[in-house]
Amino acid sequence: MEIKTRSVEQTLLPLVSQITTLINHKDNTKKSDKTLQAIQRVGQAVNLAVGRFVKVGEAIANENWDLKEEINIACIEAKQAGETIAALTDITNLNHLESDGQITIFTDKTGVIKAARLLLSSVTKVLLLADRVVIKQIITSRNKVLATMERLEKVNSFQEFVQIFSQFGNEMVEFAHLSGDRQNDLKDEKKKAEMAAARAVLEKCTMMLLTASKTCLRHPNCESAHKNKEGVFDRMKVALDKVIEIVTDCKPNGETDISSVSIFTGIKEFKMNIEALRENLYFQSKENLSVTLEVILERTEDFTDSAYTSHEHRERILELSTQARMELQQLISVWSQAQSKKTKSIAEELELSILKISHSLNELKKELHSTATQLAADLLKYHADHVVLKALKLTGVEGNLEALAEYACKLSEQKEQLVETCRLLRHISGTEPMEITCIHAEETFQVTGQQIISAAETLTLHPSSKIAKENLDVFCEAWESQISDMSTLLREISDVFEGRRGEKYGYLSLPKPMKNNANLKSLKPDKPDSEEQAKIAKLGLKLGLLTSDADCEIEKWEDQENEIVQYGRNMSSMAYSLYLFTRGEGPLKTSQDLIHQLEVFAAEGLKLTSSVQAFSKQLKDDDKLMLLLEINKLIPLCHQLQTVTKTSLQNKVFLKVDKCITKTRSMMALLVQLLSLCYKLLKKLQMENNGWVSVTNKDSMDGKI
């Protein structure tokens, strides 16, 4: 409803603006018949748009009894205003024909102005009330997610977990939709960045929660597995609280905002203060200016005290800090003289002092930027191969506890390096949204690093556990994803510093340009807007959650070599790659990679239907019919997906991606149902036969059991 209301508002305001322009004409303005008809169309269009707006408002009122009366009153006012505007612009009501064949309109200009103002006022009231409804919806959705999370924390059986997690997935999709719409509506870029960071945590943690919980259920007495799971739950709760804090615009327990403490922000404010002296010598006290500079220079100790800062950079930062202090003292001296005697020479000396200290601070900014970005680039390059992660995985499979301790120590060192680098990048990020992104990266490395170690410990203690291995893989992927995000962040920081603000790197971008120029040229015209990215992000999240549901169904099967299971697992794995692609991650790098993957996915779906059909031959008529009905839903979807992948949309890359992911999501939803139904029918068949029946193997394909 929020989206509908917003779209109607966008229709109303330009039309009201047109009416305002018309009524601002001089009273003696005469209009031709053609102009009058245009005016009438505008009035009618406004009235129709108001009618649509009122219907949405009334629907919102009917679903929210606590606000019903207020919304209905505002809707009545809007409706009256729309009808008044339509009546005052209706040429059939104008009978003042002039001798030259023209008509003078808006004899009651005051009435039109009054109606337009009433319309804007009533629309604003409805939108503000609707906004309260949206906030309530988000809070209610968060509370549902928290309640289900509490159940997931206490679950002891795998079957119960599968059931509750399916509900949890649906609730997370609903929360993602509501919070995503809210994020798009936010005007404050800082809040928008905070919301994006919190939603990114929830999205990634949803996948982690699945494997961490399954590992705990499989190894209930393993302390590291429980520690791993608790870390995911804790982080998700913090992120959920953060979303509510943003939408309600209030800090818990009266906390103050301390995020704007970066060096670059401090330097920017300091320079504004000293430049203000040109206009007003009594703008502020000399003591405040000295204290402000000292606070900035104290923060540079994060660079000079860092073990990772080179000797040359450290010496240069200290030298520029000393120079800034000296030049401030000189500025204060000249400033005092300028206050006591105003001469041309003193004014020129003051200007020179301001320019000198500004130059020193600019040089300090350059040095800090060079120090942080060089350190980050070197660190990203050094850890690009993820040698430590690979070693931890191998150590876990081998069950080597001594090697685990060694590589856990190395990962902890790497984590501390990355955390400190993020802290330095925050100081030189240049904008509040990127400061938030740096804080998010710092927290992610801090938490994920420890979770990887606990996941590796679990695998080392249970080296043959498939779920423990899968769990470690998921956390390692999160680490690799954050490394990739940090690389993007580094480019953005450099762009801002060098004045290149035009290009933006979407955290949910879709097909990335390929290396050859032809492909770059073909992809460039179809850059997605924010709504397209948000839509693809939602589809991607749903797809990711469906792969989790499919994996849960696959886990139930005792015979993991069963063909139905194998095809289902393959499809789930490919769908997960598509989910990663919607985030700009994973093995699929270009739109061509995506199309090829979808072709294989559709082919795998058809193979699955063949295996299920073979299995259906062993069933009784009623069960067979029920299964075939499900198969008949999947087969056309497979063919439709094959058709879409082969259809050229003339550079409409994102439209094609949208269609493909929508089809894939529908197929995955059917896959989950098929796997569940096949498992139940297989169990039923086994009970009837009083023994284990292996189905859909090579013999069954030939009609043998």
Side-chain angles (χ1 to χ4, degrees):
M1 283 187 182
E2 177 198 17
I3 296 171
K4 290 180 182 177
T5 307
R6 187 168 62 248
S7 66
V8 175
E9 175 200 15
Q10 290 168 350
T11 304
L12 283 170
L13 294 183
L15 292 171
V16 174
S17 177
Q18 290 180 49
I19 293 175
T20 304
T21 302
L22 289 171
I23 63 177
N24 282 337
H25 283 217
K26 294 179 181 179
D27 290 339
N28 62 357
T29 301
K30 295 180 179 180
K31 306 294 179 185
S32 68
D33 185 59
K34 186 176 180 181
T35 303
L36 286 170
Q37 289 175 0
I39 293 171
Q40 183 175 6
R41 284 197 300 272
V42 170
Q44 290 172 344
V46 169
N47 195 27
L48 287 172
V50 170
R52 292 195 297 271
F53 182 89
V54 166
K55 284 183 180 178
V56 176
E58 289 171 345
I60 294 172
N62 290 332
E63 292 181 7
N64 297 272
W65 289 91
D66 53 332
L67 299 174
K68 184 174 182 178
E69 186 177 354
E70 291 180 79
I71 295 175
N72 281 338
I73 290 172
C75 285
I76 290 169
E77 290 177 355
K79 189 175 180 180
Q80 290 173 345
E83 289 172 351
T84 301
I85 289 171
L88 291 172
T89 55
D90 186 355
I91 59 175
T92 59
N93 294 331
L94 301 173
N95 300 313
H96 309 292
L97 188 63
E98 301 292 331
S99 59
D100 58 1
Q102 292 186 320
I103 297 175
T104 302
I105 192 168
F106 294 147
T107 53
D108 184 16
K109 188 158 68 169
T110 304
V112 178
I113 294 171
K114 185 177 178 182
R117 286 176 177 169
L118 177 61
L119 177 58
L120 287 172
S121 173
S122 55
V123 165
T124 302
K125 285 179 188 175
V126 175
L127 291 173
L128 288 172
L129 291 166
D131 192 61
R132 284 164 59 183
V133 172
V134 172
I135 292 172
K136 186 174 75 171
Q137 287 176 339
I138 295 174
I139 293 172
T140 301
S141 179
R142 186 281 302 260
N143 292 340
K144 283 163 60 179
V145 169
L146 278 176
T148 308
M149 282 176 65
E150 286 182 14
R151 293 172 63 199
L152 282 172
E153 281 186 279
K154 299 172 183 176
V155 72
N156 291 318
S157 77
F158 188 79
Q159 294 297 329
E160 186 184 1
F161 171 77
V162 170
Q163 181 183 357
I164 297 173
F165 189 84
S166 178
Q167 177 189 339
F168 173 73
N170 291 332
E171 290 170 353
M172 280 301 297
V173 168
E174 178 192 350
F175 187 77
H177 283 191
L178 292 170
S179 58
D181 289 338
R182 191 64 177 183
Q183 181 183 322
N184 291 334
D185 289 340
L186 289 170
K187 301 295 186 289
D188 188 322
E189 290 299 321
K190 179 183 173 183
K191 287 184 179 179
K192 189 173 283 192
E194 289 176 336
M195 180 73 91
R199 293 179 68 243
V201 168
L202 291 171
E203 185 178 341
K204 291 185 179 181
C205 282
T206 299
M207 298 302 169
M208 296 176 185
L209 187 64
L210 175 64
T211 55
S213 298
K214 284 163 67 177
T215 305
C216 260
L217 290 169
R218 187 62 55 87
H219 308 290
N221 299 320
C222 183
E223 185 180 343
S224 58
H226 283 282
K227 183 180 178 182
N228 186 247
K229 185 185 81 168
E230 287 165 6
V232 180
F233 275 104
D234 290 344
R235 195 160 191 231
M236 289 190 78
K237 289 173 185 175
V238 171
L240 286 166
D241 287 343
K242 186 64 180 178
V243 171
I244 301 304
E245 176 191 317
I246 295 164
V247 299
T248 57
D249 198 23
C250 64
K251 299 281 183 182
N253 303 322
E255 290 179 13
T256 55
D257 191 353
I258 58 168
S259 61
S260 298
V261 293
S262 74
I263 296 173
F264 274 26
T265 300
I267 289 176
K268 180 180 178 182
E269 292 174 357
F270 180 83
K271 286 173 66 178
M272 287 172 62
N273 288 338
I274 61 172
E275 286 167 3
L277 295 175
R278 293 175 176 136
E279 304 296 329
N280 185 355
L281 292 173
Y282 301 92
F283 175 69
Q284 62 180 320
S285 70
K286 302 172 183 65
E287 292 75 15
N288 284 345
L289 208 58
S290 297
V291 169
T292 302
L293 182 63
E294 283 307 313
V295 170
I296 293 169
L297 298 182
E298 279 177 17
R299 291 173 190 161
T300 64
E301 291 174 6
D302 285 347
F303 289 79
T304 55
D305 292 349
S306 172
Y308 310 113
T309 301
S310 69
H311 177 71
E312 291 77 9
H313 281 305
R314 183 179 291 107
E315 289 298 311
R316 180 64 176 154
I317 292 169
L318 291 171
E319 178 187 333
L320 289 168
S321 298
T322 302
Q323 187 175 332
R325 285 191 181 96
M326 291 171 59
E327 286 173 351
L328 178 60
Q329 291 306 311
Q330 177 63 24
L331 173 64
I332 289 173
S333 175
V334 176
W335 180 8
S336 298
Q337 293 178 49
Q339 286 177 326
S340 60
K341 53 179 180 179
K342 296 180 180 179
T343 64
K344 185 178 179 182
S345 60
I346 288 293
E348 290 175 351
E349 199 173 341
L350 179 65
E351 178 65 22
L352 183 60
S353 295
I354 291 172
L355 292 174
K356 277 186 175 181
I357 192 168
S358 293
H359 177 73
S360 291
L361 291 173
N362 286 338
E363 290 299 305
L364 179 60
K365 281 180 64 176
K366 288 180 184 178
E367 192 62 32
L368 295 174
H369 179 269
S370 174
T371 302
T373 54
Q374 185 178 322
L375 174 60
D378 291 345
L379 195 57
L380 290 170
K381 184 178 179 181
Y382 183 74
H383 295 299
D385 294 334
H386 304 294
V387 175
V388 176
L389 297 184
K390 292 173 183 175
L392 278 171
K393 290 179 184 180
L394 184 61
T395 297
V397 172
E398 292 174 346
N400 189 337
L401 287 169
E402 288 184 8
L404 170 68
E406 177 188 345
Y407 289 113
C409 184
K410 287 184 178 180
L411 185 67
S412 293
E413 291 175 4
Q414 183 178 335
K415 177 193 72 176
E416 291 305 319
Q417 281 183 307
L418 288 164
V419 165
E420 189 160 330
T421 302
C422 289
R423 196 171 296 131
L424 299 185
L425 286 175
R426 179 189 175 193
H427 275 307
I428 59 104
S429 57
T431 68
E432 281 192 328
M434 282 197 287
E435 279 188 47
I436 300 301
T437 306
C438 290
I439 294 169
H440 169 66
E442 182 182 334
E443 292 172 349
T444 300
F445 284 125
Q446 190 73 263
V447 175
T448 309
Q450 192 55 50
Q451 287 177 317
I452 289 173
I453 292 171
S454 60
E457 184 180 341
T458 303
L459 179 59
T460 308
L461 294 171
H462 306 278
S464 60
S465 173
K466 289 183 180 178
I467 183 56
K469 183 179 182 302
E470 181 187 349
N471 187 50
L472 178 57
D473 287 341
V474 167
F475 283 95
C476 287
E477 284 173 11
W479 180 275
E480 291 170 10
S481 171
Q482 191 56 55
I483 290 284
S484 176
D485 288 348
M486 188 175 173
S487 179
T488 301
L489 174 63
L490 188 58
R491 293 200 302 273
E492 290 181 323
I493 288 172
S494 294
D495 283 350
V496 170
F497 186 78
E498 294 168 16
R500 299 195 306 267
R501 294 174 177 268
E503 185 179 3
K504 292 189 177 181
Y505 303 90
Y507 77 99
L508 289 171
S509 59
L510 279 174
K512 296 181 179 179
M514 292 165 274
K515 291 183 180 179
N516 66 71
N517 291 332
N519 285 327
L520 276 170
K521 186 176 180 181
S522 66
L523 287 177
K524 189 175 180 181
D526 200 45
K527 189 173 182 178
D529 57 28
S530 59
E531 285 189 12
E532 287 175 327
Q533 286 193 339
K535 184 179 180 183
I536 294 297
K538 290 175 187 177
L539 290 173
L541 177 58
K542 290 178 183 177
L543 191 58
L545 291 170
L546 283 169
T547 64
S548 299
D549 292 341
D551 292 342
C552 285
E553 292 298 333
I554 289 168
E555 282 284 331
K556 296 178 185 176
W557 292 64
E558 295 175 28
D559 181 11
Q560 290 291 308
E561 301 303 317
N562 185 294
E563 277 191 0
I564 292 175
V565 171
Q566 288 178 353
Y567 291 135
R569 187 186 296 113
N570 291 344
M571 290 177 71
S572 180
S573 176
M574 284 185 274
Y576 187 72
S577 295
L578 299 178
Y579 154 72
L580 291 177
F581 181 79
T582 65
R583 295 179 48 77
E585 302 170 7
L588 307 178
K589 303 301 182 186
T590 67
S591 56
Q592 289 305 311
D593 293 342
L594 174 72
I595 297 304
H596 176 69
Q597 180 85 99
L598 289 166
E599 289 171 348
V600 177
F601 180 82
E604 206 73 2
L606 291 171
K607 291 178 185 177
L608 173 72
T609 59
S610 297
S611 292
V612 176
Q613 283 173 338
F615 170 48
S616 69
K617 294 175 183 177
Q618 303 176 53
L619 305 174
K620 292 181 179 179
D621 288 345
D622 289 346
D623 291 341
K624 182 177 181 179
L625 178 61
M626 182 167 54
L627 190 56
L628 290 176
L629 285 172
E630 292 300 314
I631 297 171
N632 289 337
K633 294 177 187 176
L634 182 59
I635 292 174
L637 281 174
C638 294
H639 291 310
Q640 288 168 19
L641 182 58
Q642 288 177 327
T643 302
V644 173
T645 58
K646 293 172 183 175
T647 303
S648 172
L649 293 177
Q650 296 182 340
N651 292 336
K652 296 289 183 181
V653 178
F654 294 94
L655 178 59
K656 189 168 183 176
V657 169
D658 178 31
K659 285 178 180 268
C660 287
I661 293 177
T662 301
K663 293 289 182 191
T664 305
R665 188 166 64 88
S666 299
M667 288 174 64
M668 283 300 297
L670 277 174
L671 172 65
V672 173
Q673 294 175 21
L674 266 176
L675 288 170
S676 177
L677 182 58
C678 287
Y679 177 76
K680 291 174 184 175
L681 294 176
L682 177 60
K683 286 293 183 185
K684 182 179 178 182
L685 186 63
Q686 290 171 355
M687 290 177 66
E688 290 171 352
N689 295 340
N690 295 320
W692 175 259
V693 179
S694 178
V695 296
T696 64
N697 53 26
K698 293 299 179 183
D699 291 335
S700 68
M701 294 294 285
D702 296 329
K704 300 175 184 178
I705 300 177

